[in-house]
Amino acid sequence: MGSLLAKEEVARECLVEPKLAKAENADAAASANEGDMETSLAKAVPDGFAAENKFGDSYRNYEDSSRQAEVSRTYNAMHTKQTLEFVREQHAKWLKFDKGEFTILEIIEMLDDLIDDSDPDNDLPNSIHDFQTAERIREQWPGEEYDWFHLVGLLHDLGKVMALPKLAGDCTLEQWAVVGDTFCVGCAPAMDAIVFSDSFKENPDYNHPVYGTQNGIYEPGCGISNLVMSWGHDEYMFQMLKANGCTIPEAGLNMIRFHSFYPWHDKRAYTHLEAKEDAETMKWVKEFNKFDLYSKGDAIPNVEEVKPYYQSLLKKYNLDGKLKW
């Protein structure tokens, strides 16, 4: 799509820039008094969203949440087992897109059977969260010129279907290889920016002479899009959409690819690997992120009522009919 903010018409620029600037200012204000990592997890909730999650707790509480047992177990396994070799194996296995052909709505229906074990804020099926996110974006970014953004909200988590036998069959992955915050492999983890980071010490790559160093296999300034991310639903869904000829703008596809990369877009780790163009990518990822995170406190949308709208967007962006997964 190129630089979205540079290429839009002047009138549209005047609308986009204040929205993104307002989001950045809110993030800066929320971060102003951050101390240690635990304090920084309890950021101010943007206006218009529920102040607490469905459990009456702050969002992204990884210390003592109502779901602490399953959340900590999932992250500890992820950080111990996600090596560069493992990720490359998953690329070879999953990026063939030979697991079957299904429509987007069929995949969403499958996600009725998945509750994300890494999420301290939600114990509802993931299919509900998809519509919650999409509808909140649609409410705050109305208009046809942003309908791709609405669709991103619906699509962003569909890669979690890798954890469901209905699609994955014998290739079904455990949730530690599908859900949760992502990080880049092939270099040292940003320990101060990642939840449950002590578990990395059991990862075979942690003391590797190359993979265990700050730069690892990367050159400084190489760009976030050139990093090898831990395997999960973000990277899979990004690659799946590209392979199936999706025409959502690149900004939207990058929202999907990096929305779980909290160590980067929230904690600002890995900045030594950023390229100049990553600044705009991060603006859009952060704008998306507030809907992804805080919509979990919203009421459940009437799915049958809104479904025709999203079906029209699937057709518009070349995602109607059966797709390869």
Side-chain angles (χ1 to χ4, degrees):
M1 189 180 71
S3 177
L4 183 144
L5 298 182
K7 289 187 176 180
E8 293 295 349
E9 297 175 357
V10 172
R12 185 172 171 187
E13 285 181 348
C14 292
L15 178 61
V16 173
E17 288 283 13
K19 284 190 176 186
L20 293 178
K22 183 177 180 181
E24 289 175 338
N25 291 339
D27 286 338
S31 300
N33 295 317
E34 287 181 3
D36 57 18
M37 185 173 181
E38 289 74 21
T39 301
S40 70
L41 293 176
K43 288 189 174 183
V45 177
D47 291 343
F49 293 92
E52 298 176 332
N53 67 17
K54 62 169 294 184
F55 304 111
D57 198 356
S58 59
Y59 293 92
R60 286 181 61 82
N61 171 12
Y62 292 101
E63 298 300 315
D64 54 3
S65 76
S66 299
R67 308 191 71 225
Q68 193 67 19
E70 54 263 55
V71 171
S72 60
R73 181 175 60 249
T74 301
Y75 274 106
N76 288 335
M78 176 199 305
H79 296 162
T80 301
K81 299 177 181 180
Q82 287 250 15
T83 63
L84 179 60
E85 180 182 9
F86 172 81
V87 172
R88 286 172 170 166
E89 289 172 353
Q90 301 316 305
H91 281 210
K93 182 183 297 184
W94 283 96
L95 300 187
K96 297 175 183 176
F97 305 108
D98 59 356
K99 305 301 182 290
E101 296 189 7
F102 302 92
T103 67
I104 293 293
L105 292 179
E106 286 172 338
I107 296 296
I108 292 175
E109 185 175 345
M110 289 184 195
L111 289 173
D112 286 345
D113 296 333
L114 187 135
I115 296 173
D116 187 332
D117 286 344
S118 73
D119 193 343
D121 299 315
N122 196 16
D123 62 356
L124 294 172
N126 220 99
S127 54
I128 294 173
H129 171 60
D130 297 333
F131 282 101
Q132 286 176 318
T133 306
E135 283 295 283
R136 261 311 182 117
I137 296 171
R138 184 182 176 189
E139 174 187 296
Q140 294 196 24
W141 287 78
E144 184 178 356
E145 66 267 41
Y146 304 119
D147 59 8
W148 57 269
F149 195 2
H150 312 162
L151 187 56
V152 165
L154 186 71
L155 299 174
H156 75 284
D157 272 352
L158 299 195
K160 293 179 183 179
V161 76
M162 292 187 294
L164 296 175
K166 286 182 181 178
L167 178 136
D170 293 340
C171 294
T172 301
L173 293 173
E174 294 183 57
Q175 286 207 27
W176 61 261
V178 176
V179 302
D181 294 0
T182 57
F183 53 94
C184 61
V185 296
C187 68
M191 299 291 279
D192 292 340
I194 301 177
V195 298
F196 304 106
S197 59
D198 279 350
S199 49
F200 278 110
K201 295 175 183 177
E202 303 301 319
N203 187 304
D205 286 356
Y206 185 75
N207 291 313
H208 189 278
V210 176
Y211 309 156
T213 62
Q214 183 182 31
N215 291 336
I217 62 175
Y218 309 108
E219 292 291 332
C222 64
I224 297 301
S225 63
N226 289 313
L227 303 181
V228 181
M229 301 303 300
S230 56
W231 184 247
H233 66 284
D234 300 45
E235 184 68 20
Y236 172 69
M237 197 62 196
F238 169 82
Q239 297 289 354
M240 176 270 174
L241 292 171
K242 299 277 275 192
N244 279 278
C246 172
T247 58
I248 288 175
E250 196 70 17
L253 296 176
N254 282 334
M255 290 177 190
I256 293 172
R257 190 179 199 181
F258 298 118
H259 74 272
S260 299
F261 195 11
Y262 272 85
W264 173 61
H265 67 68
D266 186 50
K267 303 301 175 200
R268 299 304 290 126
Y270 304 105
T271 54
H272 62 294
L273 301 176
E274 288 179 340
K276 183 178 180 180
E277 61 269 18
D278 292 329
E280 185 172 347
T281 297
M282 190 178 67
K283 286 181 182 180
W284 283 107
V285 171
K286 288 180 74 68
E287 179 64 11
F288 169 80
N289 179 256
K290 71 181 183 184
F291 300 105
D292 180 26
L293 177 58
Y294 299 116
S295 68
K296 296 171 186 176
D298 289 357
I300 298 174
N302 184 329
V303 172
E304 292 306 313
E305 185 177 287
V306 301
K307 190 182 291 184
Y309 173 70
Y310 292 101
Q311 287 175 313
S312 73
L313 297 187
L314 291 170
K315 184 174 183 179
K316 179 177 179 178
Y317 291 101
N318 200 35
L319 293 171
D320 57 330
K322 300 283 187 179
L323 304 174
K324 294 181 178 180
W325 297 80

